[in-house]
């Protein structure tokens, strides 16, 4: 979502002030930092970066510095107090106002600040994406109403707001006409998407996916992130119905312990989660799954942790993201008594990550010998004699190639080898 927001800021400032992006911060007139506050570590990085940028401002007094995103939303004016070199501060819902805020910095002595949550205004005021390359994000909803006890998102991005179906379809059509073949639907909680227009009011994510699959040129659809609560039968059926929907789902479970899930206020049990996975696997055999995990939640016992390890064994994940619990401002878990020692948390994270890596590797190895339909995404970052593609289960596949005209096209690749971080194959035909 932050990548999407950053791209929109670039598009906006290009239209409003003719700004171009540079890789070299020494020559910049405006430096914008789009921030994340999901864990404390991400937040601390912001102030380190601002410290480095302060020196640039000493060299170039005309330089403007802006901070946007969730840290800005959470800290607001406190950022300007702690880092007076900052000229503009805006939240995730006010990125469309960045050009105006930038203008205001000329008139103000203090930082220009706008961290409000103006309903759907953001979507209505953003320019449509220029659609570079074969894949594009389309934001379908923002914010979250779930209030999981550990999570800062509802506090920083606000409550759920869905875009009208018609607007999303028009944006997707526009992207397809510019050569985009893969659309990734974005939101903090995409399965609570509900169309807000009267005529089609209440229609959800499954309907949206069906509509997008009908757009000429769209050959692949994915979405992120969904929540196990509200992952209904209609969404499961859509895996049977719509072949364009990728064979991959990121469905964060956080913990395998019912006690911890309850404390996290996730609104589902491990048994509910297994049921969804079983149904998904019958609707789409071979579907790849990924998840997020939090270890060391306050009160997590060895037994709770073993339940998480057991859940990973039972499900078999293809990719995962795991973190040590980090208390966040305004969340209810922040006040829970936490008796688990940091050393124990670190050890648990290590064990979990080893298990997740083994799980991913054994799934990749099963692909060896198969021929998969892959979307060629570009030249490999490591070796220009090789190209990168993404298989129909979202796995990145590296293959030898020097034909740039293949970028953006689908090819068949025979998988030859699977290692920890990479899968290698050869073009077929
Ligand atoms: N549905 C959300 C999830 C984003 S956060 C969205 O798409 O916006 C991504 C992951 O960060 C979460 O699934 C969770 O595993 C982790 N996370 C969130 N809050 C956390 C916290 N306080 N401490 C540690 N990890 C956290």
């Amino acid at each position: 979502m932050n990548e999407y927001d950053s791209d929109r800021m670039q598009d906006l400032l290009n239209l409003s002030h003719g700004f171009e992006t540079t890789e070299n911060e020494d020559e910049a007139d405006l430096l914008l930092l789009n921030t994340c506050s999901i864990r404390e570590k991400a937040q601390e990085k912001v102030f380190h970066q601002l410290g480095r940028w302060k020196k640039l401002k000493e060299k170039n007094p005309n330089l403007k510095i802006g901070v946007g995103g969730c840290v800005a939303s959470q800290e607001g004016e406190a950022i300007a107090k702690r880092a007076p070199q900052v000229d503009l501060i805006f939240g995730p819902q006010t990125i469309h106002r960045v050009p105006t805020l930038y203008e205001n910095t000329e008139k103000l002595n203090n930082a220009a600040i706008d961290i409000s949550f103006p309903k759907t205004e953001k979507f209505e005021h953003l320019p449509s994406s220029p659609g570079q390359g074969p894949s594009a994000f389309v934001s379908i909803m923002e914010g979250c109403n779930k209030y999981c006890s550990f999570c800062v998102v509802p506090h920083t991005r606000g409550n759920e707001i869905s875009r009208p179906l018609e607007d999303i379809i028009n944006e997707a059509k526009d992207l397809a006409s510019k050569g985009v073949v893969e659309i990734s639907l974005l939101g903090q909680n995409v399965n609570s998407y509900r169309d807000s227009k009267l005529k089609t009011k209440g229609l959800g994510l499954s309907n949206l996916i069906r509509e997008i699959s009908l757009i000429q040129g769209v050959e692949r659809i994915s979405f992120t992130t969904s929540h196990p609560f509200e992952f209904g039968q209609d969404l499961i059926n859509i895996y049977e119905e719509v072949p364009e929907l990728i064979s991959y789902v990121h469905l964060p479970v956080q913990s395998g312990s019912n006690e911890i899930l309850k404390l996290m206020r996730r609104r589902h049990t491990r048994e509910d989660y297994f049921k969804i996975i079983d149904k998904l696997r019958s609707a789409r055999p071979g579907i790849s799954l990924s998840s997020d995990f939090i270890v060391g939640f306050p009160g997590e016992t060895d037994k709770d942790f073993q339940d998480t390890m057991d859940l990973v064994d039972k499900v078999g994940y293809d990719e995962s993201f795991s973190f040590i619990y980090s208390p966040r401002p305004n969340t209810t878990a922040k006040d829970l008594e936490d008796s688990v020692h940091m050393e124990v948390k670190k050890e648990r994270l290590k064990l979990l990550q080893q298990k997740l890596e083994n799980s991913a590797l054994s799934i990749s190895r099963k692909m060896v010998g198969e021929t998969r339909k892959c979307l060629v995404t570009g030249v490999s970052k490591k070796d220009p004699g090789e190209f990168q593609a993404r298989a129909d289960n979202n796995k990145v596949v590296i293959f030898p190639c020097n034909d740039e005209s293949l970028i953006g096209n689908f090819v068949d690749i025979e998988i030859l080898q699977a290692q920890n971080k990479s899968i290698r194959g050869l073009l077929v035909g």
Side-chain angles (χ1 to χ4, degrees):
M1 182 61 91
N2 268 17
E3 273 181 41
Y4 173 90
D5 282 351
S6 298
D7 287 347
R8 295 289 78 73
M9 287 179 215
Q10 290 179 20
D11 298 342
L12 266 175
L13 286 161
N14 179 269
L15 283 176
S16 65
H17 291 81
F19 271 116
E20 283 171 27
T21 47
T22 171
E23 294 297 316
N24 178 4
E25 52 189 29
D26 285 313
E27 66 176 28
D29 303 299
L30 171 64
L31 288 165
L32 290 181
L33 195 56
N34 194 14
T35 64
C36 174
S37 70
I38 198 79
R39 285 169 291 277
E40 197 178 358
K41 200 171 158 193
Q43 181 171 338
E44 276 311 303
K45 283 186 186 166
V46 174
F47 290 100
H48 290 147
Q49 182 68 54
L50 288 174
R52 285 193 288 272
W53 282 357
K54 193 176 174 184
K55 296 190 188 88
L56 292 177
K57 207 163 175 174
E58 283 157 11
K59 277 195 268 173
N60 172 12
N62 294 326
L63 173 68
K64 301 276 183 213
I65 296 177
V67 180
C70 289
V71 175
S73 168
Q74 186 181 290
E75 302 290 324
E77 229 182 309
I79 293 182
K81 288 219 175 82
R82 186 167 157 189
Q85 67 272 36
V86 173
D87 302 284
L88 55 153
I89 296 170
F90 52 97
Q93 307 299 21
T94 46
I95 60 174
H96 58 290
R97 296 182 184 164
V98 168
T100 317
L101 287 170
Y102 174 71
E103 296 269 308
N104 290 349
T105 59
E106 298 294 337
K107 300 171 216 150
L108 294 170
N109 288 328
N110 302 325
I113 305 178
D114 187 348
I115 51 168
S116 57
F117 295 120
K119 292 256 165 188
T120 56
E121 198 192 281
K122 169 178 168 184
F123 297 126
E124 284 155 19
H125 288 80
L126 288 180
S128 66
S129 155
Q132 286 156 345
S135 308
F137 290 129
V138 174
S139 174
I140 66 166
M141 59 83 64
E142 278 231 22
C144 186
N145 292 349
K146 298 288 175 294
Y147 290 91
C148 298
S149 65
F150 54 85
C151 189
V152 80
V153 168
H155 309 283
T156 55
R157 282 205 182 249
N159 281 340
E160 288 165 3
I161 300 167
S162 292
R163 284 178 77 186
L165 180 85
E166 209 183 319
D167 293 4
I168 299 170
I169 299 297
N170 286 340
E171 186 172 334
K173 279 185 181 161
D174 180 51
L175 288 165
S177 75
K178 291 169 179 161
V180 168
V181 292
E182 179 183 51
I183 300 270
S184 303
L185 305 174
L186 272 187
Q188 271 73 46
N189 222 328
V190 289
N191 45 348
S192 52
Y193 172 78
R194 291 290 173 273
D195 181 26
S196 51
K197 275 275 158 62
L198 255 190
K199 221 169 67 191
T200 41
K201 200 172 170 77
L203 288 178
L205 179 65
S206 54
N207 176 68
L208 176 63
I209 291 170
R210 183 182 300 113
E211 294 280 324
I212 290 190
S213 73
L214 300 175
I215 298 173
Q216 180 142 27
V218 175
E219 296 190 51
R220 229 179 227 190
I221 305 169
S222 64
F223 58 79
T224 194
T225 306
S226 55
H227 191 299
F229 178 75
E230 287 184 330
F231 206 104
Q233 190 61 44
D234 61 323
L235 199 51
I236 286 161
N237 293 345
I238 214 78
Y239 279 90
E240 260 177 322
E241 192 191 319
V242 175
E244 288 85 356
L245 188 58
I246 196 165
S247 280
Y248 164 86
V249 61
H250 180 63
L251 193 56
V253 67
Q254 316 299 356
S255 167
S257 150
N258 279 337
E259 298 306 313
I260 296 295
L261 287 171
K262 209 165 158 186
L263 285 173
M264 288 179 165
R265 300 221 305 227
R266 291 288 287 174
R267 310 178 194 209
H268 67 84
T269 60
R270 65 187 260 133
E271 292 75 20
D272 296 331
Y273 188 82
F274 287 141
K275 269 188 211 147
I276 300 173
I277 302 296
D278 284 348
K279 286 184 192 171
L280 274 168
R281 286 199 161 130
S282 356
R284 183 67 72 84
I287 190 167
S288 281
L289 296 157
S290 77
S291 179
D292 296 337
F293 296 89
I294 296 177
V295 300
F297 190 78
E300 185 188 65
T301 63
D302 264 333
K303 162 83 174 57
D304 294 322
F305 177 64
Q306 286 314 320
D307 284 349
T308 300
M309 297 288 268
D310 174 70
L311 179 138
V312 174
D313 282 333
K314 291 209 162 81
V315 174
Y317 289 101
D318 207 357
E319 184 186 36
S320 286
F321 307 91
S322 43
F323 318 96
I324 289 178
Y325 168 72
S326 164
R328 306 308 295 133
N330 303 315
T331 60
T332 49
K334 177 176 106 307
D335 301 321
L336 291 176
E337 201 192 328
D338 187 3
S339 53
V340 189
H341 205 274
M342 190 41 100
E343 286 312 308
V344 175
K345 295 183 184 188
K346 284 186 179 159
E347 183 59 22
R348 285 180 187 163
L349 184 68
K350 203 169 99 194
L351 292 171
L352 176 64
Q353 289 184 337
Q354 274 165 1
K355 189 180 274 299
L356 290 168
E357 264 177 37
N358 291 340
S359 171
L361 185 59
S362 76
I363 291 172
S364 300
R365 288 206 169 126
K366 284 193 195 131
M367 287 170 70
V368 173
E370 290 175 352
T371 296
R372 309 289 288 238
K373 187 180 172 190
C374 300
L375 173 62
V376 184
T377 48
V379 179
S380 159
K381 282 177 200 124
K382 284 197 196 126
D383 181 350
E386 296 192 305
F387 276 34
Q388 250 174 237
R390 225 158 348 93
D392 45 4
N393 59 355
N394 217 31
K395 283 269 188 193
V396 175
V397 180
I398 307 287
F399 64 105
C401 182
N402 49 24
D403 180 0
E404 298 224 347
S405 70
L406 287 181
I407 296 171
N409 286 295
F410 288 93
V411 294
D412 283 333
I413 295 182
E414 189 192 340
I415 310 298
L416 298 182
Q417 199 188 38
Q419 280 164 344
N420 237 344
K421 293 265 180 272
S422 72
I423 299 178
R424 311 185 67 83
L426 264 188
L427 267 181
V428 176

